[in-house]
Amino acid sequence: MKVALSVRGLTKSYGNVTVLNDVSIDFYAGHLHALLGANGAGKSTLCKIISGLVSASAGQMSLGGGDYQPGSKQDAEASGVQIVQQELNLIETLSVAENLRLASLPNRWGVLRMSELHRSAREILDRFGLPDVDTHTIVGSLGVGKQQMVEIAAALARDARVLILDEPTAALSGSESEELFTHLTRMREQGVAIIYISHRLEEVQQLSDEVSVLRDGQLVTTEPIANINREKMVAWMSSEEEADDDSSQPAASFVSHRRDEVGLSVQGISCGMVNNVSFDVRRGERLGIAGLVGSGRTELLRAIFGADVADSGHVLLAGGEAVRFTHPSQAVEAGFAMVTEDRKQNGLLLTQPIRANTSLAALATKFSAKGWIRQTAEAESASAIHASLETRCQSLEQLVGTLSGGNQQKVAVAKWLTRGAEVYLFDEPSRGIDVAARGKLYELFEELAKQGKTIVIVSSDLEELFETCDAIAVMSAGRMVTKYERNDFSEDAILEASFAGQESQLTTALSDDKWQNEEAKP
Amino acid sequence: MNRLQGFLKQLAPHLGLVAVLLVLVAIFSTLSNNFFQMSTVISIANQVPDLTFLVVGMTLVLIIGGIDLSVGSLLAVSSAVLGVLMVNYEWSIWAALPIAVLVASIGGGVNGAISIGFGIPSFIVTLGMLEIARGATKVVTDSKAIYIGSRIEWFGQPLPGAFVSPAFMFAIATVVLGQLFLTRTVWGRYCIAIGTNAEAVRMSGIRSAPLCIAIFAISGMMCGLAGLAQTSRLSTADPNAAIGIELAAIAACVIGGTSLMGGRGNVIRSFIGVLIIQVLQTGLAQVGVSDASKQIITGVVIVVAVLIDALRTRWSRS
């Protein structure tokens, strides 16, 4: 077996946080090598280092025996390392041919040579096996699956020795996935080393030659597929066997404030990928929602809050009637608050002062006298709330964009505390914030629970949910698959459940006869 | 003492703009003996009300992230309605004025409703309104200027014993009200928030559409008042009046530091922008510069004023 790419001791740190720690793997030419791991295990970081998108803090790589140190994505591409990321990099308004040749459009004195453009694009598509795609088609009019194929074809057109695919089937339908697998098989035969990230364990078992499992930035093991089964994969991804019940057992300090009365009842919500989700949260309860990235957790919260309009289903508040919100203003009116995942995109006014951000949601209800802003009350309220949250800032007039992540999050939370709500929805509340701010946030969750508020926390950090929640529900592929009470918390079980829903879709794709036949073709 | 410091601190960001104005005044005072005189002040005060009304509305529209290109045409519509009602139907100014302002407000409201309701960029919708309203003006007036005379002139002429006209005082009052609306009311705060991050405003449970439509209607209302100011100054309802004034209004706002991307603006600074433009016009005319050179210099000053402001912000940040 010929080693195409080998990485030795790769490490990546941001400040004192190490996201990838001393990882060494050999990738063989003509093999498909799957990378497995839970959210934040370091798979994406590893792939970004290999493809020149980020540089390693320590470690070496060699490509085909020679030293390999890509300074940029262009460097890596020139060396024959191609990556297809989850977000597509195509220009939707241009044709397939123009996208395929974008970096080197055939031209004479700047005038496009259309016949040459389409001839060469046709050649690329035919070689890749997409004879039914017209090179004149505008990319935006193709389905997502076809677009992904075009992107992969574009990557291969650039002379690929190593091809990295980050969750390529996440957006594909069953038949599109099959088509992709056929192409992958062909490429493998041509001697391309394929690095494949996927959360679908069945798919990994079917396709790969080797599997590497990462956990918390470290390489757990690299094994040939023959030595692996599903149970082993899940066990390796989970940290329980080593942790000796240290992190997974409920913290002794946890006090439940759960009452009998139901605070929020979600009944049969469907919205986009979210599929018929129902659950109850009682007052004073902190319900965690776990699941893989892309399992529909954010979409669920958005549908409950009216940020997206649910296709069906409704929500019920304590003592209220069943409603389906069509605008967040209705939800806020009814007593909801939602701290969004992407605070810069849809949570904060970055170029406005802390004071204006803090009062925003409560301006009309608390600080208005016939439309005039009660400025003293506004300032005093903001001052009091940031004193209690220990927000670090020069003054309340400091612009929010100049604060650190943790302090920005405190402003986002303060906005809703100022408004006051009965049901609080937190989406990834501790993303990108430091330990101190996190501790403050957990205290706040408990304080709200003590007051009898209803709290839902979506988080990719299982330890966070273990530390702060009465119960954890798990979402997978748009469904809520199971729910664990605090006594039954187990990392193994939650991981297993997170991957479970992924399978149900896939089994249908793989059991399809067509796929078997295609693979059998010469 | 602390109060004074606080006041000066609040004033500091405006000093650059005031400095530009003072430098212009100084330059023209050296170049022309007639410039630094009361008559010039009166002349400028007489000229500015039209544009001043327009920039109050324009500033608000720009802050919510929109733009209003139809202000010149809506001004002309309002003027035409005044002319037709007061001359052809012999209405009094008090009966005609509300109708004129209402018509212009409706024009602005239609801009807002179509742009916000259907998610079409206001640039395009108001560009359409620019043509429609100008055409309607010509229909209403039969493309002829209507002379109104003294029944409306008094509004644009200095009051006895004072140096300024009712139009000027009314315009200044509107600037102050506009600034108070922007900085002291819930809706003004929402406007700034919407222009900064509309999605964050939505996710904070605030419905922004009605407010945004109202802002376009307010811009239309300002066009109505500007129509009154201009008609009284010229004694005539001219269907070809104020062509291209939308660009002067936008320039004044931009000189005043209003962001075309939304979220940032200040009505008083926009008014200083109006003064800069008007001082330039009056000064250049007195110095005896040709029309062609006047245009070139005006263009240069607009860009330089914005450049100075941009550099000042960059320096104060680093």
Side-chain angles (χ1 to χ4, degrees), chain A residues 307 345 355 371 373 378 415, chain B residues 184-186 189 197 202 204:
Chain A
Q345 202 67 43
R355 172 185 45 76
I373 296 171
E378 183 197 12
K415 175 173 75 178
Chain B
R184 294 294 175 87
T185 70
V186 172
R189 180 73 63 76
N197 187 341
R202 193 174 92 94
S204 297

Side-chain angles (χ1 to χ4, degrees), chain A residues 127-130 149 152 156 178-188 194:
Chain A
R127 197 169 54 201
F128 184 66
L130 285 173
M149 297 294 193
I152 295 171
L156 289 172
E178 291 163 33
E179 212 174 309
L180 174 67
F181 300 153
T182 321
H183 294 310
L184 291 182
T185 310
R186 187 177 309 133
M187 277 178 249
R188 202 155 43 166
I194 301 168

